Amino acid sequence: MVVMARLSRPERPDLVFEEEDLPYEEEIMRNQFSVKCWLRYIEFKQGAPKPRLNQLYERALKLLPCSYKLWYRYLKARRAQVKHRCVTDPAYEDVNNCHERAFVFMHKLSPESAEEYIEYLKSSDRLDEAAQRLATVVNDERFVSKAGKSNYQLWHELCDLISQNPDKVQSLNVDAIIRGGLTRFTDQLGKLWCSLADYYIRSGHFEKARDVYEEAIRTVMTVRDFTQVFDSYAQFEESMIAAKMETASELGREEEDDVDLELRLARFEQLISRRPLLLNSVLLRQNPHHVHEWHKRVALHQGRPREIINTYTEAVQTVDPFKATGKPHTLWVAFAKFYEDNGQLDDARVILEKATKVNFKQVDDLASVWCQCGELELRHENYDEALRLLRKATALPARRAEYFDGSEPVQNRVYKSLKVWSMLADLEESLGTFQSTKAVYDRILDLRIATPQIVINYAMFLEEHKYFEESFKAYERGISLFKWPNVSDIWSTYLTKFIARYGGRKLERARDLFEQALDGCPPKYAKTLYLLYAQLEEEWGLARHAMAVYERATRAVEPAQQYDMFNIYIKRAAEIYGVTHTRGIYQKAIEVLSDEHAREMCLRFADMECKLGEIDRARAIYSFCSQICDPRTTGAFWQTWKDFEVRHGNEDTIKEMLRIRRSVQATYNTQVNFMASQMLKVSGSATGTVSDLAPGQSGMDDMKLLEQRAEQLAAEAERDQPLRAQSKILFVRSDASREELAELAQQVNPEEIQLGEDEDEDEMDLEPNEVRLEQQSVPAAVFGSLKED
């Protein structure tokens, strides 16, 4: 590899052609890459002078540098030419150079081994030649690195080599090479800029390095590149300050040194203070239409009015409303507000007037600008001007367009903006006349851009001015504009106002309004309307109509609201007709409601029957409800029934209750999923299976095991069922004493029934076959409004 250092340019004497060479030259021109053609030509010229023959070999090898035959004959001929000469003859050097060139092309410098050669040159401190070779490799698009390095990695090595050794690498234009990399590798600009600045720093050109850093932080497009360049720039300035302080301490401080040091400190402080602004510039170069970043840039110039004005001016000229990120109108509004805060109202008005002519992407942007125009005048008590501006904004354009028609400019669509109309309506209510305000609201309804709140505001405005029928018409116009659920608030307000106005004087009209409201009303919003309707019938109509409304409500509301609706229905029916009238309501509620709510209704129903003395009815209700009460999850129900039987039952009724309980439990046990989970709990293993419950029967189907368990439970319930033929059926009003009932109850289930032993002394003195019958008064609620005072 050492011989490669002595490569020289090949001999290139002037080309001389003779007339007899023309056929061979023509053949060469036709087949210039044919070795045979060149060999024939060389054989023909064997008698030519040595320089002419060498020239011919050089021509051939220039086109065919890897031809072994050409090199062999050429080197043999050159050795023969210097065979009898002195070794100090310059011709020997030329022959050696030919051999070295042959080595290059025939053996040692293969393209894929270029990196090894470059590493060798680096280790030999021949950095200039290594840089040249590395530059050649980098520019060769067909080069494939043996080490698996990418083209950028090779570029980075080249940049490090030439930037860190400026005194040893002089044959290359470092600035041009690195700037070429900047245009080539746009995703790695930070490192390349730092390499270029490092080259000038190591070369001693500090001001040039600062220029490179400044150019870099003003051109990079990513925060990562900016951070790399800025950190390197700050480190450079710190090193310059440290070097100056070290030099001054060694050589003694002079006045010029102090000035230079202060200058460097000021430059460093300015750089640090500029960082937020420079970073903001990077983000704006990424997206010049980012509205929020422009506002941040204005905030960074706080306290510098000229820079703020220039920033706003640049922002409104740069941001394209159709490409903007954010609300572009806020730039115009903030610009005008800046002038307003500084007392320049005329300039603020000019800014907002220009903003009204900007072709924004959204109509809402232009509407916001018009509203800001009005608010500007209101803040300075120019009320007439504010009204004039908003009336101008809502005036019909020469060419009307739909609100969402993107092909039309926003100036032709802003007349349908509800934001502008709402502000105009507020101003008309405060500053205008009744007729002008009414005209604005009517225009909003005609344009069909009103919201339910606008309709309600219009109706309330008319009501305040004693135009009640006009307000009701406004409600009806709003109802025609909307559908459910948007019309919900309008109907609620309308009906409430109508009832408050007329009461029972226009009952039929009120009923028609309620029927219209309930027609197509979703269940989610039906409860409020039905309650209002029922209240109307209770106060001004008929009780049976009110009950009919409540009954309709229980079917019209959502399932989650049915329970509350039934409670209201039952309460109102008891207050109007008495508690006995609620029996049918209870029955329907039990049929309609879910199991949880039906269970609650059954308990309340049974309790009511107990209070009325209807023990058999209450027992029938408990029996019916037991079919939806799993004893394992509804222990409260069974405890209530047990307490009931203790107070009012006998041996047979208690046994019947127990039989029903076992039967219900067996019924629920047949549910496969629930039974399997219960069996797993009994087995004591959370990870066990059904087969674990039957050792030795692992081959049996799990479903069959469940069926066997269900049959077993059913058989147990059948065994526990009392034989009616062997016992006498006893009712509450029987001849048995309490002691006998208690004894029988304890014999049936001594653990569940615990009768108290603290009876009154009068009862203890009774004969065994005597039973005291308690007399209970009928509750007043039974009679309702029929009870006499």
Side-chain angles (χ1 to χ4, degrees), residues 603-623:
L603 293 175
R604 291 174 54 190
F605 191 11
D607 183 65
M608 183 195 75
E609 295 292 356
C610 287
K611 292 179 180 179
L612 295 177
E614 298 290 344
I615 304 302
D616 292 337
R617 285 179 177 270
R619 182 175 292 109
I621 295 171
Y622 282 121
S623 178

Side-chain angles (χ1 to χ4, degrees), residues 67-138:
S67 174
Y68 174 80
K69 293 181 179 180
L70 287 174
W71 276 112
Y72 179 78
R73 295 193 179 194
Y74 182 37
L75 295 176
K76 184 177 180 181
R78 292 300 298 265
R79 287 197 302 271
Q81 294 173 9
V82 297
K83 185 174 182 180
H84 300 291
R85 296 189 183 186
C86 181
V87 294
T88 59
D89 194 316
Y92 267 96
E93 185 68 22
D94 294 338
V95 176
N96 289 336
N97 289 339
C98 287
H99 279 82
E100 290 178 0
R101 285 193 289 126
F103 287 144
V104 169
F105 290 108
M106 297 302 296
H107 304 284
K108 295 180 180 182
L109 195 62
S110 58
E112 63 274 5
S113 302
E115 292 175 283
E116 299 176 6
Y117 181 50
I118 293 170
E119 291 298 327
Y120 166 76
L121 294 175
K122 289 181 180 179
S123 63
S124 301
D125 201 28
R126 307 185 66 168
L127 301 182
D128 188 70
E129 188 174 355
Q132 293 179 22
R133 294 294 176 184
L134 189 55
T136 304
V137 168
V138 166

Side-chain angles (χ1 to χ4, degrees), residues 456 459-460 472 475 488-498:
I456 294 174
M460 297 290 287
F472 296 151
Y475 284 121
S488 174
D489 294 336
I490 300 178
W491 270 120
S492 299
T493 308
Y494 181 21
L495 295 172
T496 303
K497 294 292 184 181
F498 190 88

